[in-house]
Amino acid sequence: MSSISQEESWLPVLPESHFPIQNLPFGVFSDGGLDTIGVAIGDRILNLAALANAGLLDGVCEREILNAPVLNPLLAAGRGVWSGLRSRLIELLKTNGDSALRDLNDHAMFVVQREVSMRLPTQIGDYVDFYSSLEHATNLGKLFRPDGDPLMPNWRWMPIGYHGRSATVVIDGTPIRRPCGQRKLPTASEPTFGPSARLDIELEIGFLTGPANALGQRIPTGAARDHVFGLVLVNDWSARDIQAWEYQPLGPFLGKSFATTISPWIVTLDALEPFRMRGPVQDPAPLAYLACDDSWSYDIALDVAIQSEAMRARGLAPHVVSRTNYGMMYWNLAQQLAHATANGAIAEPGDLFASGTISGTTPDSLGSFIELSWNGTRPLSLPDGQTRSFLQDGDRITIAGTCRKSGERTIGFGSATGEILPSDAC
Ligand code: MN
């Protein structure tokens, strides 16, 4: 693959933009009409349906794939098409490349990002959430089971996960209604039903899959590159009180399935290639089906910011409560996909696999409020004078991610935001 780290686009792109020509993430937008596939460049979106219909992608990608209202057909088309399309888009957008797009001088080819709304990029058939941060799993183990070994004996042998609810995955900006549910205080003899009092976030990265495996046939770690299209930011909203009461013996259920937010732009593995890194040493060595020669971690800096209703009223900017990095996750995406299909289960185009909460080793690098506030014993101070252990109505949470490296143009994921609405009558 030829390096594009020094290329510039003939379209103006601000230096701090997450979307230089090196990124070109895929998403689905609507300007009030049809849902349309596009790639982000600077503060614009290049309309790929219009580009295909103008004949500029002929021989690279079938027009009907790019005229779909979701990215599933493109994700089904496979790595050859993905990489060919990316190369062609770079040629059309770079200075001194193919001038065909520039010569068209057709303003309908581009829309301004802030003037359109973003949609879910794929129709998500299945959603899996892992639990792959050693630090997060250890912290949650200590908080949920203070008397036992924080890590379950299986944790270092396989990427633990659960099946989430794909229909409640929502796009950036969708308000999050505080869920009702059954919960039991440790001091109470019986549970009650009502609004969650321990609403939380989980800072995660998810990957979306490409061509399906056949039923009964697994996707080995060595084939991950052909089956993973790209990555998005994920906020796995969690009701800790509902979760704590329900999670044994079968795992998370209604404490998680009310909403999961993703960012609108899928950053491709091709764009992330310069930011690949070696993950942590795994001990014990994984079983053969999880063995993995390549570096499958990615250096992605992440942060979480909160803005309360009172902060907004006073014009106070969102307050960053955590900074962490995806790169040190114990289990990587190739192992997660190999494990999720190890029994022959199918991963289809557009399915979502989230990493699990990404927590670092320091108190300011934790990916959830239950960890940041240590189960409410160390409330966080906000700039408006309030404190937070868990989320209040009106709180707005924004997660963001960027990849920075010396000699490389910075690329980013944009952000994913959700604001907490009061519960309906329970
Ligand atoms: Mn999660």
Side-chain angles (χ1 to χ4, degrees):
M1 193 186 309
S2 66
S3 170
I4 63 150
S5 41
Q6 305 310 318
E7 299 290 356
E8 295 283 343
S9 176
W10 49 266
L11 275 159
V13 177
L14 292 173
E16 67 270 24
S17 172
H18 281 196
F19 308 122
I21 191 170
Q22 286 77 9
N23 195 345
L24 302 183
F26 287 75
V28 173
F29 68 94
S30 169
D31 58 5
L34 297 174
D35 290 354
T36 305
I37 293 171
V39 295
I41 174 88
D43 65 352
R44 307 289 153 120
I45 300 169
L46 173 56
N47 180 331
L48 291 194
L51 193 65
N53 296 341
L56 293 187
L57 300 175
D58 287 354
V60 175
C61 184
E62 287 173 33
R63 294 186 186 192
E64 67 180 19
I65 287 177
L66 296 172
N67 277 278
V70 284
L71 284 160
N72 300 66
L74 178 62
L75 270 54
R79 171 141 303 279
V81 172
W82 307 338
S83 295
L85 181 55
R86 174 175 168 84
S87 299
R88 177 67 178 147
L89 293 172
I90 289 170
E91 273 305 305
L92 289 168
L93 287 167
K94 73 179 186 183
T95 23
N96 306 320
D98 183 334
S99 65
L101 173 59
R102 197 173 188 178
D103 293 346
L104 272 184
N105 197 22
D106 180 353
H107 292 298
M109 288 287 172
F110 293 94
V111 297
V112 177
Q113 282 170 32
R114 65 171 186 276
E115 292 176 359
V116 300
S117 53
M118 298 302 295
R119 305 294 196 211
L120 282 175
T122 67
Q123 184 176 357
I124 300 170
D126 270 302
Y127 162 45
V128 164
D129 191 26
F130 288 99
Y131 191 54
S132 290
S133 156
L134 177 64
E135 292 76 15
H136 173 74
T138 303
N139 289 337
L140 269 274
K142 286 178 186 168
L143 292 172
F144 276 75
R145 296 178 303 277
D147 300 327
D149 190 341
L151 274 194
M152 289 291 185
N154 54 11
W155 197 91
R156 285 179 184 269
W157 289 100
M158 62 179 162
I160 300 294
Y162 69 92
H163 279 94
R165 194 152 192 87
S166 55
T168 48
V169 177
V170 297
I171 195 69
D172 166 47
T174 306
I176 305 300
R177 177 78 60 188
R178 180 180 299 275
C180 299
Q182 189 180 136
R183 61 273 198 278
K184 188 180 92 62
L185 292 173
T187 50
S189 58
E190 289 183 350
T192 54
F193 186 83
S196 171
R198 298 187 144 222
L199 188 51
D200 198 356
I201 65 156
E202 291 195 337
L203 169 65
E204 308 193 16
I205 290 270
F207 65 85
L208 291 117
T209 44
N213 53 322
L215 179 62
Q217 219 163 55
R218 64 177 189 246
I219 299 175
T221 53
R225 197 167 177 72
D226 292 327
H227 288 272
V228 177
F229 178 71
L231 274 51
V232 293
L233 303 170
V234 177
N235 184 347
D236 176 28
W237 304 94
S238 299
R240 300 299 181 193
D241 41 3
I242 299 172
Q243 180 186 357
W245 174 230
E246 76 179 359
Y247 87 108
Q248 288 177 320
L250 277 183
F253 188 33
L254 302 177
K256 301 278 193 175
S257 61
F258 56 95
T260 306
T261 300
I262 66 171
S263 57
W265 294 108
I266 309 175
V267 178
T268 63
L269 290 195
D270 283 340
L272 289 165
E273 189 61 24
F275 306 100
R276 273 179 83 170
M277 58 179 276
R278 208 159 277 285
V281 174
Q282 295 177 318
D283 183 18
L287 297 178
Y289 81 101
L290 291 172
C292 202
D293 292 334
D294 289 319
S295 303
W296 272 111
S297 292
Y298 292 89
D299 183 358
I300 302 171
L302 299 161
D303 61 58
V304 180
I306 182 171
Q307 189 187 41
S308 68
E309 206 166 4
M311 287 170 68
R312 277 198 300 288
R314 289 168 53 183
L316 297 171
H319 174 65
V320 174
V321 293
S322 179
R323 294 180 207 277
T324 187
N325 196 294
Y326 176 63
M328 290 310 284
M329 294 292 277
Y330 190 87
W331 296 105
N332 63 51
L333 61 84
Q335 293 172 321
Q336 289 170 337
L337 187 56
H339 186 67
T341 60
N343 62 352
I346 298 175
E348 291 202 294
D351 284 356
L352 174 65
F353 294 82
S355 59
T357 310
I358 303 166
S359 289
T361 54
T362 58
D364 56 356
S365 64
L366 305 170
S368 66
F369 277 81
I370 192 171
E371 290 168 276
L372 287 165
S373 74
W374 206 249
N375 209 15
T377 60
R378 299 192 306 232
L380 303 175
S381 297
L382 302 189
D384 61 6
Q386 299 183 28
T387 59
R388 280 295 179 282
S389 292
F390 296 95
L391 302 181
Q392 300 290 319
D393 294 345
D395 284 353
R396 193 178 286 171
I397 296 290
T398 298
I399 62 177
T402 49
C403 301
R404 293 175 202 279
K405 186 181 178 182
S406 170
E408 297 291 339
R409 184 73 189 253
T410 296
I411 65 170
F413 285 75
S415 59
T417 296
E419 183 181 325
I420 306 303
L421 299 182
S423 141
D424 285 327
C426 292

Short mmCIF file of all heavy atoms in Angstrom, two decimals, residues 127 129-130 162 202 204 236 238 256 356-357, ligand 1:
data_model
loop_
_atom_site.label_atom_id
_atom_site.label_comp_id
_atom_site.label_asym_id
_atom_site.label_seq_id
_atom_site.Cartn_x
_atom_site.Cartn_y
_atom_site.Cartn_z
N TYR A 127 -25.69 -7.41 17.45
CA TYR A 127 -24.79 -6.56 18.23
C TYR A 127 -24.24 -7.38 19.39
O TYR A 127 -25.00 -7.96 20.16
CB TYR A 127 -25.56 -5.33 18.73
CG TYR A 127 -24.91 -4.58 19.88
CD1 TYR A 127 -23.56 -4.30 19.88
CD2 TYR A 127 -25.67 -4.15 20.96
CE1 TYR A 127 -22.96 -3.63 20.93
CE2 TYR A 127 -25.09 -3.47 22.02
CZ TYR A 127 -23.74 -3.22 22.00
OH TYR A 127 -23.16 -2.56 23.05
N ASP A 129 -21.34 -7.20 22.62
CA ASP A 129 -20.47 -6.33 23.40
C ASP A 129 -19.52 -7.19 24.22
O ASP A 129 -19.95 -8.08 24.95
CB ASP A 129 -21.31 -5.44 24.31
CG ASP A 129 -20.47 -4.33 24.94
OD1 ASP A 129 -19.45 -3.94 24.34
OD2 ASP A 129 -20.85 -3.86 26.03
N PHE A 130 -18.22 -6.92 24.05
CA PHE A 130 -17.22 -7.66 24.80
C PHE A 130 -16.90 -6.97 26.13
O PHE A 130 -17.57 -5.99 26.52
CB PHE A 130 -15.95 -7.84 23.94
CG PHE A 130 -16.14 -8.82 22.82
CD1 PHE A 130 -16.40 -8.39 21.52
CD2 PHE A 130 -16.06 -10.18 23.06
CE1 PHE A 130 -16.60 -9.29 20.50
CE2 PHE A 130 -16.24 -11.09 22.04
CZ PHE A 130 -16.51 -10.65 20.76
N TYR A 162 -21.39 -10.49 25.61
CA TYR A 162 -22.82 -10.81 25.67
C TYR A 162 -23.47 -10.28 24.40
O TYR A 162 -22.93 -9.40 23.73
CB TYR A 162 -23.48 -10.20 26.92
CG TYR A 162 -23.59 -8.69 26.89
CD1 TYR A 162 -24.72 -8.05 26.38
CD2 TYR A 162 -22.53 -7.90 27.35
CE1 TYR A 162 -24.80 -6.67 26.34
CE2 TYR A 162 -22.61 -6.52 27.31
CZ TYR A 162 -23.75 -5.91 26.80
OH TYR A 162 -23.82 -4.54 26.75
N GLU A 202 -20.54 3.66 29.14
CA GLU A 202 -19.36 2.84 28.93
C GLU A 202 -18.67 3.33 27.66
O GLU A 202 -19.25 3.28 26.57
CB GLU A 202 -19.71 1.35 28.86
CG GLU A 202 -20.18 0.82 30.21
CD GLU A 202 -20.20 -0.69 30.34
OE1 GLU A 202 -20.27 -1.39 29.30
OE2 GLU A 202 -20.14 -1.17 31.49
N GLU A 204 -16.43 2.96 24.66
CA GLU A 204 -15.98 1.79 23.92
C GLU A 204 -15.69 2.15 22.46
O GLU A 204 -16.06 3.22 21.98
CB GLU A 204 -17.06 0.69 23.95
CG GLU A 204 -17.53 0.35 25.36
CD GLU A 204 -18.36 -0.93 25.45
OE1 GLU A 204 -18.34 -1.72 24.49
OE2 GLU A 204 -19.02 -1.11 26.50
N ASP A 236 -21.97 2.46 25.51
CA ASP A 236 -22.87 1.39 25.95
C ASP A 236 -23.52 1.83 27.27
O ASP A 236 -23.08 1.47 28.35
CB ASP A 236 -22.05 0.10 26.12
CG ASP A 236 -22.87 -1.05 26.68
OD1 ASP A 236 -24.09 -1.06 26.45
OD2 ASP A 236 -22.28 -1.93 27.33
N SER A 238 -25.49 2.18 30.53
CA SER A 238 -25.69 1.07 31.47
C SER A 238 -26.39 1.55 32.73
O SER A 238 -26.00 2.57 33.31
CB SER A 238 -24.32 0.48 31.87
OG SER A 238 -23.65 -0.03 30.73
N LYS A 256 -28.68 -2.97 30.08
CA LYS A 256 -27.87 -2.52 28.95
C LYS A 256 -28.70 -2.25 27.70
O LYS A 256 -28.31 -1.43 26.86
CB LYS A 256 -26.85 -3.60 28.59
CG LYS A 256 -25.89 -3.98 29.69
CD LYS A 256 -24.76 -3.01 29.76
CE LYS A 256 -23.63 -3.53 30.63
NZ LYS A 256 -22.48 -2.63 30.60
N GLY A 356 -16.06 -3.44 24.75
CA GLY A 356 -16.09 -3.40 26.21
C GLY A 356 -15.48 -2.09 26.67
O GLY A 356 -14.71 -1.45 25.93
N THR A 357 -15.84 -1.69 27.88
CA THR A 357 -15.38 -0.42 28.44
C THR A 357 -13.87 -0.34 28.42
O THR A 357 -13.18 -1.28 28.83
CB THR A 357 -15.88 -0.28 29.88
OG1 THR A 357 -17.27 -0.55 29.90
CG2 THR A 357 -15.60 1.10 30.43
MN MN B 1 -20.23 -2.50 27.52
#
